[in-house]
Amino acid sequence: MPPKKFYVVWIGQQPGIYPTWAEAEKQVKGFPKAKFKAFPSKKLAEEAFSSGPKCTPKTKKIASTQATFETPKSDVNIYCDGACDPNPGKAGTGIATYKKGKLDQLWYGLYNPSGTNNTAELLGLHHSLLKAKAIAESGDSVTIHCDSKYAIDCITKWANGWEAKGWTRKGGEIKNLDIIKPAHALYLTIADRIEVQHVSAHIGIEGNELADRMSVVAIERRETELCQYTESLSIPDILAMARG
């Protein structure tokens, strides 16, 4: 089966065209001022690679993302993400909500000066579940989109076995139980009325990209509460912010 997307890396460890995000991510992750973009065909990717990027990032505030919009799966779709720089280090969480296919609200916060990427992702999913509960009770269908399989599996799968064994496991300590326990308890109350789905990170899906940018805002502003972002709902402007 041919690749669905091709990833052009103009600036990275090894510039080139890659058929999977996993391969491209190795070239750009942690690379200063990396420049890359996803394309729907190899031909377009080759043309873009040969012509070079339209602009070279000069500051951290530039992020070359051309987001694509997913077909709405429910009345309300919630995207959550977390960021940590470095990991462990300063961590923050972002959430983007869509109603009837249109961007409705953006949220940022839950800053932790000594967090991890996993704690930020878990908090994002927990607070998305809180929002999903209120939405489900109003009668709307809701889907949560999270790019952390770790967070999803902890809360929706593994916690079942851990709880049955008194929150222990053979492999040793279960980290982040202070987040996992209440999030799992909440999930059980609404599991039959909502969906939790994994979404691939940093491939240009609009909701995921917006949640990512909000997680960076949380770190920059050191906001410990979850706050609604009201400055601007201009999607291009937000996507141009620093990437997490």
Side-chain angles (χ1 to χ4, degrees):
M1 187 175 179
K4 293 182 179 180
K5 287 182 180 291
F6 290 83
Y7 301 86
V8 172
V9 176
W10 290 287
I11 301 175
Q13 300 286 355
Q14 183 64 53
I17 300 172
Y18 298 88
T20 68
W21 169 242
E23 293 173 273
E25 186 180 30
K26 292 178 182 178
Q27 313 307 320
V28 302
K29 191 172 183 179
F31 192 94
K33 299 181 181 179
K35 184 76 173 178
F36 56 97
K37 188 175 179 180
F39 292 88
S41 71
K42 187 175 182 180
K43 181 180 179 182
L44 289 174
E46 289 173 341
E47 292 174 355
F49 182 70
S50 61
S51 62
K54 292 182 179 179
C55 61
T56 301
K58 295 183 179 179
T59 70
K60 191 181 178 184
K61 286 204 166 218
I62 301 296
S64 57
T65 301
Q66 183 174 343
T68 57
F69 183 72
E70 286 191 312
T71 302
K73 293 178 171 58
S74 302
D75 296 324
V76 178
N77 287 270
I78 304 173
Y79 291 82
C80 57
D81 200 7
C84 191
D85 184 24
N87 186 23
K90 299 174 182 177
T93 295
I95 295 174
T97 63
Y98 287 76
K99 189 174 290 187
K100 306 297 183 182
K102 293 184 178 181
L103 179 62
D104 183 48
Q105 294 178 341
L106 293 172
W107 297 82
Y108 68 95
L110 309 177
Y111 172 74
N112 184 346
S114 303
T116 66
N117 190 64
N118 284 341
T119 60
E121 297 276 11
L122 283 167
L123 285 169
L125 183 50
H126 185 191
H127 282 260
S128 294
L129 288 168
L130 289 168
K131 293 182 180 300
K133 181 178 181 180
I135 294 165
E137 289 175 349
S138 72
D140 285 335
S141 59
V142 56
T143 298
I144 297 174
H145 307 259
C146 176
D147 66 17
S148 170
K149 282 192 65 63
Y150 163 79
I152 294 173
D153 288 343
C154 277
I155 293 172
T156 68
K157 296 180 182 179
W158 300 336
N160 292 310
W162 294 337
E163 184 176 25
K165 296 176 182 178
W167 295 104
T168 62
R169 67 173 182 177
K170 289 183 178 180
E173 177 191 5
I174 304 172
K175 294 183 178 180
N176 306 316
L177 281 182
D178 59 323
I179 307 173
I180 294 170
K181 281 184 177 181
H184 174 63
L186 172 60
Y187 171 72
L188 291 179
T189 67
I190 56 175
D192 60 337
R193 291 177 286 163
I194 71 164
E195 288 188 60
V196 179
Q197 297 188 348
H198 179 256
V199 60
S200 296
H202 297 311
I203 63 169
I205 295 173
E206 184 181 286
N208 174 253
E209 297 288 351
L210 293 177
D212 169 79
R213 302 306 188 275
M214 289 297 103
S215 67
V216 176
V217 171
I219 295 172
E220 291 177 342
R221 300 184 182 182
R222 302 185 180 185
E223 180 55 64
T224 57
E225 299 296 322
L226 190 63
C227 302
Q228 188 172 351
Y229 183 84
T230 58
E231 284 92 297
S232 169
L233 288 182
S234 168
I235 292 173
D237 288 347
I238 296 168
L239 291 176
M241 293 179 177
R243 184 195 296 269

